[in-house]
Amino acid sequence: EPEVTQTPSHQVTQMGQEVILRCVPISNHLYFYWYRQILGQKVEFLVSFYNNEISEKSEIFDDQFSVERPDGSNFTLKIRSTKLEDSAMYFCASRMGVVAFFGQGTRLTVV
Amino acid sequence: DAKTTQPPSMDCAEGRAANLPCNHSTISGNEYVYWYRQIHSQGPQYIIHGLKNNETNEMASLIITEDRKSSTLILPHATLRDTAVYYCIVSSSGTYKYIFGTGTRLKVLA
């Protein structure tokens, strides 16, 4: 069964460093998303991406965040200068019809 | 804010049906109802979705009221592995982004 794959499963980084979280969406899907979940809190929408551009973003998705689909298969989330409060699970999702499927997430720990 | 309201927690005996309610009184005509679950901190797992009609798949059944203001997810024979947080989500049209609430924490008891 096709699935969304995220790497790495766990990333530890120092405050102020740049991180790139990677996702391989399901192959024929056209819509891509990033969500995050701070420990013990709700899953929060960050950004949606279609046709090589951002279609919607939340207030959380400020200038330190960017997304890219560099090679037609990967979908990446870059955090330019990480802060302690960026520590969270980050989930990628992709969609073809009306249902989105999520990856297993990357746990980002900023120290 | 999430457009749905769910009870914070429920218990269910193993082997019995688990019925998880959800209120979505402000749902629009073109919005779907989705159910996902999350086990520990894993990625949300898709269960089922519907627009107007009741739906059934290998995992669950979804009952949507005629006025579409509420729905119930039914796990027909709950197992210990069904212990999870269950999210009822009404889609946002256009980008179909999901706004998650706090969900229902279902505990299946042996």
Side-chain angles (χ1 to χ4, degrees), chain B residues 13-77:
Chain B
E14 189 178 21
R16 304 298 292 267
N19 295 276
L20 290 84
C22 179
N23 286 321
H24 31 80
S25 58
T26 62
I27 191 170
S28 300
N30 62 349
E31 290 182 314
Y32 286 82
V33 179
Y34 301 84
W35 283 84
Y36 285 78
R37 70 182 182 185
Q38 188 176 29
I39 298 171
H40 299 302
S41 293
Q42 295 177 21
Q45 179 190 18
Y46 166 75
I47 301 172
I48 199 166
H49 75 285
L51 185 61
K52 295 180 185 176
N53 300 322
N54 299 336
E55 302 289 344
T56 295
N57 63 19
E58 64 277 5
M59 286 184 71
S61 294
L62 173 60
I63 308 298
I64 302 174
T65 58
E66 196 168 335
D67 64 7
R68 301 210 323 128
K69 293 185 177 181
S70 65
S71 61
T72 301
L73 177 74
I74 301 171
L75 306 178
H77 306 287

Side-chain angles (χ1 to χ4, degrees), chain A residues 17 52 57-58 67 71 74 76 84 91-92 94 96:
Chain A
Q17 295 296 304
N52 280 321
K57 60 183 181 179
S58 71
V67 290
D71 57 11
N74 291 287
T76 62
L84 295 176
F91 298 111
C92 172
S94 70
M96 180 61 175

Side-chain angles (χ1 to χ4, degrees), chain A residues 33 35 37 39 41-45 48 55-56 89 91 95 97-105 107, chain B residues 1-2 32 34 36 38 40-46 49 87 92 94-102:
Chain A
Y33 306 83
Y35 291 79
Q37 185 176 33
L39 185 64
Q41 298 187 22
K42 300 178 193 177
V43 177
E44 300 173 290
F45 167 77
S48 59
S55 42
E56 188 171 355
M89 287 291 295
F91 298 111
R95 175 175 72 85
V98 299
V99 177
F101 294 90
F102 288 79
Q104 286 304 296
R107 180 177 299 282
Chain B
D1 287 351
Y32 286 82
Y34 301 84
Y36 285 78
Q38 188 176 29
H40 299 302
S41 293
Q42 295 177 21
Q45 179 190 18
Y46 166 75
H49 75 285
Y87 298 102
S92 173
T95 59
Y96 286 93
K97 73 179 183 188
Y98 294 158
I99 305 299
F100 285 78
T102 51

Side-chain angles (χ1 to χ4, degrees), chain A residues 18-31:
Chain A
E18 174 183 286
V19 294
I20 297 176
L21 309 184
R22 291 184 165 79
C23 170
V24 178
I26 295 173
S27 64
N28 61 340
H29 285 192
L30 300 177
Y31 301 84

